[in-house]
Amino acid sequence: MIKEAIYHRPKENWAYAYNETTLHIFLRTKRNDVDAVALVYGDPYIWNEGKWLYETIAMKKSGSTDLYDYWFVAVQPEFRRMRYGFRCSDQTETLYYTERGWFPTAPTDTAFYFCFPYMNKADLFAAPTWVKNTVWYQIFPERFANGDSSNDPAGTLPWGKVEPTPTNFFGGDFQGVIDHLDYLVDLGITGLYFTPIFKAKSNHKYDTIDYFEIDPQFGDKETFRTLVEECHQRGIKVMLDAVFNHSGFYFEPFQDVLKNQQASDYQDWFHLWNFPVGTKPKPNYDTFAFEATMPKLNTANEQVKQYLLKVARYWIEEFDIDGWRLDVANEVDHSFWRAFRDEVKRVKPEAYILGEIWHDAMPWLLGDQFDAVMNYPFTTNMIDFFASEQISASQFANNITDVLHQYPAHVNEVAFNLLDSHDTPRVLTLANGNIERVKLLYLFQMTFVGTPCIYYGDEIGMAGGQDPGCRACMVWDNSKQNQPLFQFVKALIQLRKDQPVLANAGSFHFSLTDDSSQVIAYERKSQSERFVIFINNSSDAKTIQTPYSGFFQEIYFKDNAFVEQSLELAAQSTLQMPAYGFRMLKQNQ
């Protein structure tokens, strides 16, 4: 047994309260090194005749990668506290793994064991329950639809007649979104994520001038209020983008700094290096990246902090928005985000707080800051496998398994799973124009753990490279839309809604990976049923031997909907897999 490969910590994604009564415990071992693991656990204060009373319960493998096996168990401590260790066995020995190390027999002193002191309700991670069943749609307001030409900015171009640039305008606005809400309902969308809508100079609006004002090109506050109300009447939530890491160059406090320099009352609102403050030859103040037009805000300053918290409250209290997406969230101090969460949840406990973090985000996901982050590790692996075919089936399974074990289950259930965004090339471009690959991306996304998001226009086959190419005008001419793709995505969304086990009511694990054929299979499983989905991620038809047998309902796409037919698999049965095709089987447990 390779002891140095075995890992556990009594916190974060390794040991956590899933709800008020249930603890989730994970252990990591070297792949195929340990044959069985059992949790040894008990209340630290229950003894009998000088002996600690403990129980053992078998742990199950929750996933494997090329390096590790992950073991999982859920337990319900009667008094919400627990000491615990692990009994690990291979073919030659059994050892007990505790906080103090390794022992041939179970230690009798509870101080040797890992400790979960108490399941305090106040410490529970509590994301909004509605998010688990939400299908998001990201809208870049300037490019979705122009519904009111009277508010077009100067120099507005004819809709979609020229290529987008970093500086041109096409007049997209709130009325345009209102005019197409029924389109979004037809697709199955239940959540809208808007990139910034506040007054700004650019077309992307990440350079805020006034956090309390709508940009005039989008309409006025009454139009926005109508938009939110119309969304809510259709069962659609609304999430806005908060740019609190930095302001825009024309933000009034920063303009005051430029004008009054050391005499400015706002000099401590920013991270200034020296005086006089200027932009040339390069800015002498902290910025987002090295953008002189985006000076970084000092969120440790109490005035800045209170100003931004007022912004967070205002749009919820006045317009009843349902969530905040937080731009460049990892560059803002944790103390501010804790205060932000307290403020937002006080006003609207069921508001969704989503951080833009592209890397391991565990420090922000402990229940005191964000509900979720944009799941870019998921995105990267989806693109590498399905779109560009840069990694093998086993690499994809390894990486996705790592992603799932990076965070607690309740975090994964509300993770924001995107395929692309305004910051990346579009999926069709990444898939080299292959619609069949794009369909597989959507199939996996819509049957995976978390809350999926579609970037506007992807569902009708829009292409586009890196910004500004990915920010083109939405195509509203039906003759130029890929309607078969639209119908496929629509049917997938409906299937996800009809089958809770495909959303967040079922566990997930890979059951087959074949690098020679680039075929994968994975299960979504609940107590009453399981789905098995086979995907052939190659340009050739394949015949695979399935590890499953018994009676199933096969679910397949026909006439723009998913339908069922009975299928019996004998032991060692084979399945025919078309090029870039899939087979989906449902079985009652």
Side-chain angles (χ1 to χ4, degrees), residues 307-461:
Y307 174 86
L308 296 179
L309 294 181
K310 184 178 179 181
V311 173
R313 291 194 308 271
Y314 176 78
W315 294 96
I316 296 175
E317 291 175 334
E318 292 296 319
F319 301 95
D320 198 27
I321 67 165
D322 304 290
W324 284 108
R325 182 265 190 185
L326 309 173
D327 188 58
V328 201
N330 58 339
E331 295 186 22
V332 178
D333 64 274
H334 291 280
S335 177
F336 174 80
W337 289 135
R338 292 185 184 100
F340 176 87
R341 182 182 184 87
D342 289 343
E343 199 72 9
V344 167
K345 297 295 185 177
R346 182 183 62 80
V347 177
K348 193 169 190 176
E350 284 296 294
Y352 181 48
I353 301 176
L354 172 69
E356 184 206 13
I357 296 179
W358 293 54
H359 53 82
D360 183 352
M362 194 69 248
W364 290 267
L365 295 169
L366 300 175
D368 60 342
Q369 294 171 70
F370 305 159
D371 294 318
V373 293
M374 301 180 79
N375 198 356
Y376 277 106
F378 165 86
T379 308
T380 300
N381 285 291
M382 291 284 283
I383 297 304
D384 287 350
F385 182 59
F386 290 112
S388 58
E389 300 182 9
Q390 295 180 18
I391 60 176
S392 67
S394 59
Q395 286 176 306
F396 175 69
N398 290 341
N399 296 345
I400 292 295
T401 298
D402 274 336
V403 168
L404 279 175
H405 287 83
Q406 193 170 19
Y407 303 123
H410 45 216
V411 173
N412 291 328
E413 290 168 0
V414 294
F416 194 83
N417 295 334
L418 65 163
L419 300 177
D420 57 357
S421 73
H422 65 290
D423 285 326
T424 72
R426 288 183 177 269
V427 285
L428 183 58
T429 297
L430 292 168
N432 199 29
N434 189 321
I435 289 291
E436 299 308 312
R437 293 188 198 174
V438 173
K439 288 181 178 179
L440 295 186
L441 279 158
Y442 279 119
L443 171 65
F444 193 92
Q445 181 195 36
M446 293 296 169
T447 57
F448 189 65
V449 181
T451 180
C453 181
I454 298 169
Y455 185 47
Y456 80 95
D458 283 350
E459 76 281 3
I460 53 161

Side-chain angles (χ1 to χ4, degrees), residues 56 68 151 165 252 296 386:
T56 59
Y68 302 113
N151 56 32
T165 72
E252 186 175 336
K296 182 175 173 61
F386 290 112

Side-chain angles (χ1 to χ4, degrees), residues 106-172:
T108 58
D109 186 346
T110 55
F112 281 45
Y113 288 83
F114 295 105
C115 180
F116 202 100
Y118 194 80
M119 299 167 64
N120 289 291
K121 185 176 180 179
D123 293 333
L124 283 175
F125 180 94
T129 55
W130 58 265
V131 177
K132 297 179 183 181
N133 297 310
T134 300
V135 177
W136 294 94
Y137 191 89
Q138 182 187 351
I139 290 179
F140 192 84
E142 218 284 316
R143 304 293 161 76
F144 186 65
N146 187 344
D148 182 359
S149 59
S150 70
N151 56 32
D152 287 357
T156 293
L157 300 170
W159 191 258
K161 296 301 183 182
V162 299
E163 293 297 315
T165 72
T167 58
N168 59 11
F169 291 84
F170 294 91

Side-chain angles (χ1 to χ4, degrees), residues 271-332:
H271 298 269
L272 310 177
W273 302 353
N274 48 55
F275 291 96
V277 176
T279 61
K280 295 179 179 180
K282 59 182 180 179
N284 59 342
Y285 50 89
D286 287 352
T287 65
F288 166 67
F290 294 101
E291 293 289 338
T293 59
M294 297 181 179
K296 182 175 173 61
L297 289 163
N298 178 14
T299 49
N301 176 284
E302 189 62 25
Q303 289 181 319
V304 175
K305 178 179 175 181
Q306 292 306 319
Y307 174 86
L308 296 179
L309 294 181
K310 184 178 179 181
V311 173
R313 291 194 308 271
Y314 176 78
W315 294 96
I316 296 175
E317 291 175 334
E318 292 296 319
F319 301 95
D320 198 27
I321 67 165
D322 304 290
W324 284 108
R325 182 265 190 185
L326 309 173
D327 188 58
V328 201
N330 58 339
E331 295 186 22
V332 178

